[in-house]
Amino acid sequence: MEFTSEHPLLIIGGGNMGTALATRWRQWSPLVVESSSLRRGILKDEGIESIESLAALTTPPRAAVLAVKPQSYHEIKPALAKWPNDTLVISIMAGVPLGALPKNSVRVMPNTPALVGQGMSVCCGPTIAEEDQRIVQDLFAAGGEVCWVNDEEQMHAVTAISGSGPAYVFAFMEALERAAIHLGLDAQTAHLLVKQTVFGSACMANTPFADVSKLREQVTSKGGTTEAALAVLLPSLQTLIEATAQAAESRSKALSS
C-alpha cells in the first residue's frame, strides 16, 4: 500500500479518534484536516502533519477517513463531491449510512482500544474494489483486529457491541472497584485487583479455542465463593446486557434515520 504527497492518506477530523488513528498510521504519513489550532498543536507534537481546512488541499487524496461528528458531515460533503470517483472514502461516523456517502465508500466502526493497538474494527463496504478492501484492512489492522460484514444493517449491532462495548467494560470495572472499597480495600488496591483481573481474564479468553462458558465453569468450584457470587449475578445479567445492547442499537438506528 502506497500513499504519496500528491495523493496522501487524509484524515478529516483531528479529535481523539482521528488523532489516535493518525499516530497508529505514522508509517503512511497521514495528513490531518483540523480547524482547531489547539488540536493541530497536539498533532504537531506527535509528529503528524495537519492543515486547517479542506480548501488548503491542493490535490485529492488516495483515501480519506471521515473522523468528524455525524452532524458535521454536511459541512465537508460538497468538497468530497469534487474528488475523482475512485477516491476511497472511509467513514467512521456513527449512524451515517453508505447511501449518504460518496459512491466509493466503506463504513468502519472502530473502538477506543485502538489507542493501544488492541481495537476491534468492523468494516462494511460491499461494493468497493479488492485493492481498496486491502487498504482498509491494512490500515485498521494496525490498531487491532478487523472483520467485515456485508449487510449494512448489522452495523447497528456492531455499534452496540464493539463500538460501545468498552464503556460497558469500564462501567463494570468501576462497579467492581466500588464493591472492593465497600468490602474494606483501599482505592489503589481495588484498582489494581480489578484492572489485572479483567486484563488477565481477557487474555485467557483470547487463547486459541477458548470458550468463555468453560472458562467461567473452571473458576466456579462446587459450593465455593464464586458459585455463591454467581448465584446473585447470573439471574439478571443476561436480561440486563441484552437490554443494554438493544438500547444502543436503537439509538444507532435513530441516528441513521
Side-chain angles (χ1 to χ4, degrees), residues 108-162:
V108 181
M109 175 55 67
N111 62 14
T112 54
L115 286 163
V116 293
Q118 295 296 330
M120 180 70 246
S121 298
V122 183
C123 313
C124 181
T127 64
I128 65 171
E130 186 175 329
E131 178 185 354
D132 287 341
Q133 288 181 1
R134 284 196 298 269
I135 289 175
V136 175
Q137 179 74 28
D138 289 348
L139 286 173
F140 287 91
E145 295 286 340
V146 181
C147 73
W148 292 75
V149 296
N150 288 322
D151 182 358
E152 188 179 8
E153 277 299 303
Q154 292 183 323
M155 293 298 284
H156 298 300
V158 166
T159 300
I161 302 303
S162 60

Side-chain angles (χ1 to χ4, degrees), residues 17 25 27 29 42 56 73 84 87 98-99 107 130 135 139 154 164 171 203 207 210 213 244 250:
M17 185 57 75
W25 296 342
Q27 61 182 306
S29 301
I42 294 172
Y73 175 51
T87 300
L98 287 171
R107 288 182 62 188
E130 186 175 329
I135 289 175
L139 286 173
Q154 292 183 323
S164 299
C203 287
T207 56
S213 294
T244 298
S250 295

